[in-house]
Amino acid sequence: MSKRRDPNPEFDLFIPALGDLPLRDQREVMERPFFSLQKRKRLKPIEYRSPDGEAWVRVQAIPDYGMATIWDADILIWAASTLNRMKQKGVNDIPRTLTTTPYDLLRAIKRSTGGRDYQELQAALLRLQTTSITTSIRATKRRQKAGFNWLDSWTFDTDADTEQPRGMTLTLSDWVYEGIVNEKSLLTMHPDYFLLSGGLERALYRIARKHAGSQRGGWLCRVELLRDKTGSDAQPKEFNRMLRRVIEADQLPEYAMELTETADKSPAVMFRLRGEAEAVALAERMRAEDERRARFDADRRRADEVDTRMDQLAGRRR
C-alpha cells in the first residue's frame, strides 16, 4: 500500500487553504464501523456491538446505490470542519444546509476535478443520502435507539449550456448535525488522512486517533476487536493478511503500528505516536545490540578460560 499523491499541490486562491480549515470528525463515528471499507458496492449490512453490549450500530444499504464508503465520509469531514470554523468565528446560527461548488469541495478533500470525479461526487451524495443507520449511540434511556441517514437532501447544479457543474448544497441529517455542533464532540485529523488510498488504512487511522490520541505509552487493541471496530467483512485470515500489509507499508499519519500480543497471548496491535514509536524502536535496537555484545563478551571469556585451561594442562604434561 502507498499513500496517494495530492492531485492539487498548488495553492488555490479561491478555496480555503487546508491550514486555515483544520480537519475535524465526530468522535462517535471514528471509533465504530459506519462505512464500507471497499469501493465496490457493498450490500451486506454492518452489525456491530461493543464488548460491554451498551453501544451497537446497524448500517444498511439499498441495492441501487450500495452502502456509503469511507471515502464518501470525506464529505462529512469537510462539513464538520466547515461548521466548526463557523463556531470558532462566533456565527450564531450554524446552518444545517451548506452551500459550495463541486470544484471547491473536491479540492478541499484532495480529489481531482475531472469529469469522472464530478460523477463520483454525485454517486457519493446518493450513497450518503440512502444509507440507513440505526444505533443506540446517544441514547438517553435504556433500549432507546435512533435511525437516520447521513444526508437529508442535496442539490447539484449544472450550467444549461456547458453542462459543467456550478454549485451544490447538502443538508445534514439531525443526528449528524447535532453531533457536529455539540461541544467537545469533534477531534482533529491530520490533513494527510485524505491521501490514504486503502479503506482499512483509513479506518485504522480513525480508530487510532480516537483511542490512542496523544497519550504516551501507546494503545493496545486485540486484532479480533480491531476487526469488529473497522466493520471489515473479510474473513479473519484475510483480515490478518491485510492488517500485516498496512503495518508493513507504515503509511498512517501520526501513528506507527506493530503486531504484538496481549497478556493472555492473543494477537494484538500496538498503536504509538510516531515520535514515541521511533524512540521505542531505537531503545529496542540498543537493547538488542547490548545483548549481542554481552553474548559476544561471554563467549570470548569462555574461550579464554578454555585456552587457559588447555595451556595449564599442556604445561603439566611437560
Side-chain angles (χ1 to χ4, degrees):
M1 294 187 181
S2 60
K3 191 177 294 183
R4 185 171 59 84
R5 299 180 66 179
D6 187 346
N8 310 297
E10 297 181 0
F11 178 71
D12 192 313
L13 295 175
F14 299 100
I15 61 173
L18 286 176
D20 297 331
L21 185 62
L23 298 187
R24 299 287 191 278
D25 199 5
Q26 297 183 61
R27 297 171 184 266
E28 300 159 317
V29 175
M30 294 174 74
E31 66 172 311
R32 299 181 180 102
F34 281 93
F35 301 99
S36 170
L37 304 187
Q38 57 203 28
K39 291 187 176 180
R40 61 182 172 82
K41 184 187 291 186
R42 173 170 175 166
L43 298 178
K44 180 182 177 182
I46 292 176
E47 301 272 6
Y48 168 82
R49 184 174 293 274
S50 62
D52 61 9
E54 293 296 318
W56 57 266
V57 175
R58 179 177 174 82
V59 186
Q60 295 173 283
I62 65 172
D64 285 349
Y65 304 115
M67 186 180 295
T69 72
I70 202 164
W71 294 272
D72 300 340
D74 291 354
I75 297 172
L76 302 177
I77 295 173
W78 169 83
S81 305
T82 301
L83 294 184
N84 185 70
R85 183 175 61 176
M86 291 182 182
K87 286 169 53 180
Q88 292 176 338
K89 287 186 174 182
V91 175
N92 291 324
D93 297 321
I94 305 296
R96 202 157 59 89
T97 298
L98 293 171
T99 301
T100 184
T101 69
Y103 174 83
D104 289 350
L105 178 53
L106 288 171
R107 291 293 297 262
I109 60 176
K110 297 191 176 183
R111 303 282 178 88
S112 299
T113 54
R116 182 176 178 82
D117 299 290
Y118 291 112
Q119 294 174 3
E120 291 179 350
L121 177 58
Q122 291 185 68
L125 294 170
L126 279 167
R127 287 189 291 268
L128 290 169
Q129 185 185 15
T130 58
T131 296
S132 175
I133 303 97
T134 312
T135 181
S136 64
I137 297 172
R138 294 191 211 153
T140 56
K141 299 177 182 178
R142 188 172 180 81
R143 295 186 177 279
Q144 189 178 48
K145 56 187 177 183
F148 63 94
N149 304 88
W150 298 111
L151 299 180
D152 276 358
S153 62
W154 58 274
T155 64
F156 208 85
D157 299 329
T158 57
D159 187 277
D161 297 324
T162 65
E163 296 188 355
Q164 293 298 312
R166 294 191 306 181
M168 62 175 290
T169 66
L170 55 89
T171 301
L172 302 171
S173 68
D174 286 338
W175 194 92
V176 175
Y177 175 78
E178 290 168 3
I180 292 173
V181 300
N182 181 34
E183 293 295 329
K184 299 181 180 179
S185 66
L186 301 180
L187 276 177
T188 59
M189 297 181 69
H190 197 284
D192 283 353
Y193 167 79
F194 286 147
L195 300 180
L196 291 175
S197 59
L200 181 58
E201 289 175 297
R202 285 169 162 247
L204 291 170
Y205 171 79
R206 292 159 68 92
I207 292 168
R209 182 67 190 89
K210 171 59 176 67
H211 288 288
S214 58
Q215 66 178 314
R216 296 295 173 182
W219 176 66
L220 185 69
C221 184
R222 295 173 185 266
V223 170
E224 181 181 7
L225 178 58
L226 201 57
R227 177 172 173 268
D228 290 341
K229 279 183 168 291
T230 64
S232 173
D233 62 350
Q235 293 299 313
K237 185 176 181 180
E238 175 64 12
F239 179 81
N240 293 343
R241 185 188 67 80
M242 294 189 300
L243 182 61
R244 285 193 295 270
R245 286 183 60 193
V246 173
I247 293 173
E248 291 169 2
D250 193 27
Q251 294 292 325
L252 264 60
E254 300 182 88
Y255 302 99
M257 304 165 56
E258 62 177 296
L259 283 173
T260 182
E261 294 181 341
T262 60
D264 62 1
K265 302 300 182 182
S266 297
V269 174
M270 173 64 76
F271 295 84
R272 297 185 191 274
L273 286 169
R274 286 208 171 271
E276 183 180 13
E278 292 166 2
V280 169
L282 177 60
E284 274 296 310
R285 288 196 298 271
M286 293 179 64
R287 183 184 64 78
E289 179 62 17
D290 288 342
E291 290 179 352
R292 187 191 68 78
R293 289 178 179 173
R295 288 194 299 270
F296 177 78
D297 291 342
D299 291 342
R300 187 173 60 184
R301 285 195 298 271
R302 283 195 292 271
D304 290 343
E305 290 173 357
V306 170
D307 289 344
T308 300
R309 182 59 176 166
M310 293 296 291
D311 289 343
Q312 291 174 347
L313 293 174
R316 291 175 184 174
R317 293 193 187 98
R318 294 193 195 100

